């Protein structure tokens, strides 16, 4: 749920428009109506089974929203809303709006889990949040509870993996599938208005219904774009904003997500390839590192089915390279034939050899796997559909299809982390038609109060460069850097008092670390909360320290 599916679209128009005057911000606020919401127990389909720990504090409702808030024409869409009420209503200070990521991530289950964690927390500021703030979410359009959209089949593609096969025949199969998906996903009456702009207007409807002057916000990954978009439209109703492992909101989807492919490739080189190059004999490649480099350069197309971006260790990469060599040289026709070949030693050390052959056997099953005959979804049929639709509705895509193909070929040549799946998404958007969302106005974000970004220094889904770009662009931005971490999604998912205290204190009070710097750092996550041992003493509280960051790096785009 925290993860943002990568896409390598490049050289598109920016999400941001030119600045307007402050008087033009919060355009709908003066005449906006206050919706009426009837709150009741939540459907399991929205939140999962209700936790007895929250009692009747967890409740759901719906509100009738204009299909297009900016140009209402009488067409309405029922939007689902979820809240966990403040535990002590007499002390209520406001609401924290939660965005689970995406596009396409449903907030219900995770919102309930976070509310439970805050309620049970021994940390003072999490307990403060539980007592004094409603934790609320607007279900994004197209998801269960807000006009469900189901336009993707979940079936395997009709074409081979593009990073391994960019032939005319395979390319044309992909084009046909992209056109079919664009036609199917665009057809429902409300599909063109499933976008980030309309979602933030829906959020403001809920803010008005709750009677809050300001909307406090906590968003993960794509949630940073939602927070930025809200602040660009309603800066004077924006309260405290926490962007956790955020997308680079200073750039478009294309270039921001291209940087993630680069970061994932760099991580593979650093964590997996370099250890093999430094001691190739240990991994079964003899004494010449050039053999390893050549094997990486010549990974056959079918090996791209193995999602090389998921490789994290030298053992995983070495097993992949050995398997690819057997595939290319011996060409075994069946899985059993490949498994027989894998009975032979791969590395001189018995322990290393056992690990490599075990991994290679598992990978071989994937290489020879037949296409599935039943649907498989990453975030469910609605979530996967929304993930396709929102980028097309949010922005204009301008590259030619021939340029997309050239970039896909170059990505496949340069980066182990690319799969080619992202190309389908871009072609869909190119054939989609003009976007329905009006561009954000970046200058308006600076009218909002200071906001806090959380960022792991080695996050490969939303790399550090994106947070640095935002810090450089917005004078009201502050960044908590987590060093020695590759976690995507930090707040509530670590055991670090430094991280958890800083984020919760900011959301509860607006207080930021007094370091004299707009960037400050914690060291490590200290693991997941699930790794804690009951009864063990808490880790010592350490305040963040000021850091000086280098200038944002030059963009690596095709």
């Amino acid at each position: 749920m925290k993860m943002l599916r990568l896409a390598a679209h490049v050289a598109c128009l920016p999400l941001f428009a030119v600045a307007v005057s402050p008087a033009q911000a919060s355009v709908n606020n003066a005449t906006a109506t206050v919706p009426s919401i009837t709150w009741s127990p939540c459907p399991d389909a929205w939140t999962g089974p209700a936790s007895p720990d929250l009692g009747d504090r967890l409740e759901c409702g719906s509100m009738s929203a204009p299909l297009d808030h900016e140009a209402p024409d009488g067409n309405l869409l029922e939007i689902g809303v979820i809240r966990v009420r403040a535990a002590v209503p007499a002390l209520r200070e406001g609401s924290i709006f939660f965005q689970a990521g995406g596009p396409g991530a449903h907030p219900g289950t995770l919102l309930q889990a976070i509310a439970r964690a805050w309620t049970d927390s021994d940390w003072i500021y999490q307990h403060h949040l539980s007592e004094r703030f409603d934790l609320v979410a607007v279900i994004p359009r197209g998801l269960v509870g807000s006009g469900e959209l189901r336009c993707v089949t979940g079936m395997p593609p009709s074409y081979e993996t593009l990073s391994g096969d960019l032939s005319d025949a395979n390319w044309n199969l992909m084009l046909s599938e992209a056109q079919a998906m664009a036609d199917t996903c665009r057809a429902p009456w409300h599909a063109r208005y499933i976008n980030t702009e309309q979602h933030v207007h829906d959020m403001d409807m809920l803010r008005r219904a709750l009677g809050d002057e300001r909307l406090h916000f906590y968003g993960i990954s794509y949630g940073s774009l939602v927070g930025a978009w809200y602040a660009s439209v309603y800066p004077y109703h924006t309260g405290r904003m926490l962007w956790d492992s955020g997308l680079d909101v200073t750039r478009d989807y294309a270039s921001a997500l291209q940087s993630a492919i680069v970061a994932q490739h760099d991580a593979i080189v650093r964590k997996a390839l370099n250890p093999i190059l430094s001691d190739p004999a240990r991994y079964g490649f003899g004494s010449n590192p050039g053999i390893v480099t050549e094997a990486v350069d010549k990974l056959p197309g079918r090996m791209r089915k193995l999602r090389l971006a998921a490789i994290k260790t030298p053992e995983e990469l070495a097993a992949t390279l050995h398997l690819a060599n057997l595939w290319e040289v011996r060409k075994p026709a069946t899985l059993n034939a490949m498994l027989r070949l894998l009975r032979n030693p791969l590395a001189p050390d018995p322990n290393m050899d056992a690990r490599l052959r075990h991994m290679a056997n598992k990978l071989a099953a994937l290489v020879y796997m037949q296409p599935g005959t039943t649907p498989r979804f990453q975030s469910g049929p609605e979530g996967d559909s929304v993930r396709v639709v929102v980028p097309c509705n949010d922005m204009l895509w301008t590259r030619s299809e021939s340029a997309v193909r050239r970039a896909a070929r170059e990505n496949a040549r340069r980066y182990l982390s690319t799969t080619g799946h992202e190309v389908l998404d871009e072609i869909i958007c190119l054939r989609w038609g003009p976007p329905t969302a009006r561009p954000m106005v970046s200058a308006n974000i600076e009218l909002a109060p200071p906001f806090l970004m959380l960022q792991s220094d080695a996050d490969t889904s939303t790399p550090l460069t994106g947070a640095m770009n935002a810090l450089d662009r917005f004078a009201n931005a502050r960044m908590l850097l987590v060093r020695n971490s590759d976690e995507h999604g930090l707040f509530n998912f670590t055991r670090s008092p430094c991280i958890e205290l800083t984020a919760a204190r900011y959301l509860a009070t607006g207080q930021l670390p007094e370091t004299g710097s707009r960037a400050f750092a914690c060291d490590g996550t200290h693991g997941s909360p699930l790794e804690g041992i009951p009864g063990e003493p808490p880790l010592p509280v350490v305040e963040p320290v000021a850091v000086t960051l280098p200038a944002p790096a030059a963009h690596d785009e095709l």
Side-chain angles (χ1 to χ4, degrees):
M1 186 174 295
K2 294 187 294 180
M3 297 300 294
L4 179 71
R5 179 180 170 180
L6 300 181
H9 319 303
V10 193
C12 301
L13 293 182
L15 284 167
F16 292 124
V18 296
V20 299
S21 68
Q24 292 174 275
S26 300
V27 290
N28 285 337
N29 185 62
T31 59
T33 59
V34 178
S36 175
I37 300 174
T38 300
W39 297 95
S40 60
C42 292
D44 285 0
W46 291 18
T47 62
S51 168
D53 296 344
L54 298 176
D56 62 359
R57 293 170 56 203
L58 174 66
E59 51 192 13
C60 293
S62 62
M63 56 189 188
S64 298
L67 190 62
D68 184 353
H69 285 265
E70 295 283 351
D73 59 3
N75 286 312
L76 301 175
L77 184 65
E78 289 298 306
I79 302 297
V81 293
I82 308 169
R83 75 173 173 184
V84 177
R85 290 183 286 106
V88 185
L91 299 178
R92 184 184 183 278
E93 298 178 16
S95 302
I96 307 291
F97 278 65
F98 174 66
Q99 183 74 32
H106 199 289
T109 301
L110 187 56
L111 179 141
Q112 184 178 186
I114 290 173
R116 287 181 58 193
W118 288 358
T119 299
D120 298 337
S121 179
D122 293 329
W123 284 338
I124 183 172
Y125 290 107
Q126 276 84 343
H127 195 66
H128 181 106
L129 289 168
S130 174
E131 281 190 339
R132 303 191 181 199
F133 290 86
D134 297 341
L135 181 59
V136 304
V138 174
I139 299 175
R141 296 179 177 208
L143 300 183
V144 173
S146 289
E148 294 92 323
L149 177 70
R150 301 181 186 93
C151 64
V152 298
T153 66
M155 297 301 294
S158 59
Y159 55 90
E160 294 296 325
T161 305
L162 289 173
S163 57
D165 184 355
L166 281 162
S167 65
D168 289 347
N170 200 46
W171 182 258
N172 289 332
L173 284 174
M174 184 277 298
L175 293 180
S176 296
E177 187 154 325
Q179 185 66 59
M181 289 185 67
D183 293 342
T184 303
C185 288
R186 195 173 46 209
W189 70 279
H190 64 309
R192 296 280 286 149
Y193 292 92
I194 296 174
N195 61 36
T196 306
E197 179 197 26
Q198 298 301 331
H199 179 56
V200 303
H201 287 312
D202 293 341
M203 289 166 53
D204 200 67
M205 283 187 69
L206 180 56
R207 176 193 66 79
R208 299 193 302 272
L210 296 172
D212 295 329
E213 179 63 22
R214 289 186 178 269
L215 181 153
H216 304 303
F217 179 81
Y218 161 34
I220 303 171
S221 195
Y222 160 78
S224 62
L225 179 59
V226 174
W229 213 308
Y230 182 88
S232 77
V233 180
Y234 299 102
Y236 301 122
H237 291 291
T238 300
R240 300 185 280 276
M241 287 196 298
L242 179 64
W243 300 357
D244 189 339
S245 308
L247 183 70
D248 185 351
V249 303
T250 71
R251 303 166 70 193
D252 53 53
Y253 280 110
S255 51
L257 295 178
Q258 173 72 15
S259 70
I261 286 182
V262 177
Q264 286 195 340
H265 173 83
D266 290 345
I268 295 170
V269 171
R270 184 176 66 255
K271 294 180 179 180
L273 179 57
N274 286 345
I276 299 176
L277 293 175
S278 66
D279 190 2
R282 181 171 181 241
Y283 298 93
F285 296 105
S287 59
N288 183 4
I291 295 175
V292 180
T293 303
E294 183 178 2
V296 169
D297 289 341
K298 293 184 177 180
L299 272 174
R302 181 166 284 206
M303 294 303 118
R304 294 288 183 171
K305 291 176 63 174
L306 302 181
R307 183 164 163 71
L308 302 182
I311 289 175
K312 294 184 180 298
T313 67
E315 290 82 2
E316 291 170 339
L317 180 57
T320 302
L321 295 176
H322 283 298
L323 182 68
N325 181 64
L326 290 172
W327 170 265
E328 188 174 18
V329 174
R330 304 291 295 274
K331 297 180 173 56
T334 65
L335 173 60
N336 285 335
M338 176 64 83
L339 295 179
R340 285 194 295 272
L341 292 176
L342 288 172
R343 293 172 185 168
N344 298 316
L346 298 178
D349 177 75
N351 291 329
M352 176 62 71
D353 179 65
R355 292 202 298 274
L356 295 184
R357 288 194 292 120
H358 175 70
M359 291 179 184
N361 274 267
K362 291 170 60 176
L363 294 172
L366 295 176
V367 171
Y368 287 87
M369 180 184 296
Q370 295 301 309
T373 57
T374 57
R376 295 185 64 183
F377 299 99
Q378 180 179 343
S379 301
E382 303 85 5
D384 286 6
S385 299
V386 169
R387 185 200 58 76
V388 170
V389 165
V390 167
C392 299
N393 283 331
D394 272 0
M395 62 176 284
L396 182 65
W397 300 77
T398 60
R399 284 201 303 184
S400 67
E401 292 182 3
S402 60
V404 173
R405 189 176 183 181
R406 288 195 299 272
R409 184 175 288 110
E410 184 67 9
N411 264 341
R413 184 186 70 82
R414 293 175 64 183
Y415 304 121
L416 289 168
S417 51
T418 185
T419 64
H421 295 315
E422 67 282 347
V423 176
L424 175 70
D425 298 340
E426 183 165 5
I427 299 297
I428 291 171
C429 289
L430 284 173
R431 298 188 173 199
W432 184 262
T436 51
R438 295 91 182 158
M440 284 196 296
V441 180
S442 58
N444 287 346
I445 297 173
E446 296 183 273
L447 302 174
F451 62 91
L452 177 63
M453 301 180 293
L454 304 187
Q455 179 65 45
S456 291
D457 62 356
D459 186 344
T460 58
S461 295
T462 52
L464 173 60
T465 52
M468 292 171 60
N469 289 337
L471 190 70
D472 185 61
R473 170 63 185 83
F474 303 113
N476 52 338
R478 307 290 185 270
M479 183 168 71
L480 176 62
L481 176 67
V482 181
R483 297 184 287 209
N484 304 309
S485 169
D486 60 5
E487 288 297 314
H488 181 70
L490 288 159
F491 183 41
N492 297 299
F493 302 107
T494 80
R495 296 182 64 224
S496 164
C498 183
I499 298 168
E500 302 297 327
L501 171 67
T502 302
R505 181 173 57 198
Y506 167 73
L507 276 182
T509 69
Q511 181 182 345
L512 291 162
E514 298 179 359
T515 63
S517 171
R518 292 202 298 128
F520 25 84
C522 300
D523 288 314
T525 63
H526 301 288
S528 162
L530 300 177
E531 299 170 357
I533 301 173
E536 70 175 332
L539 295 169
V541 174
V542 178
E543 289 286 343
V545 296
V547 292
T548 301
L549 298 173
H555 300 164
D556 186 348
E557 298 175 7
L558 301 181

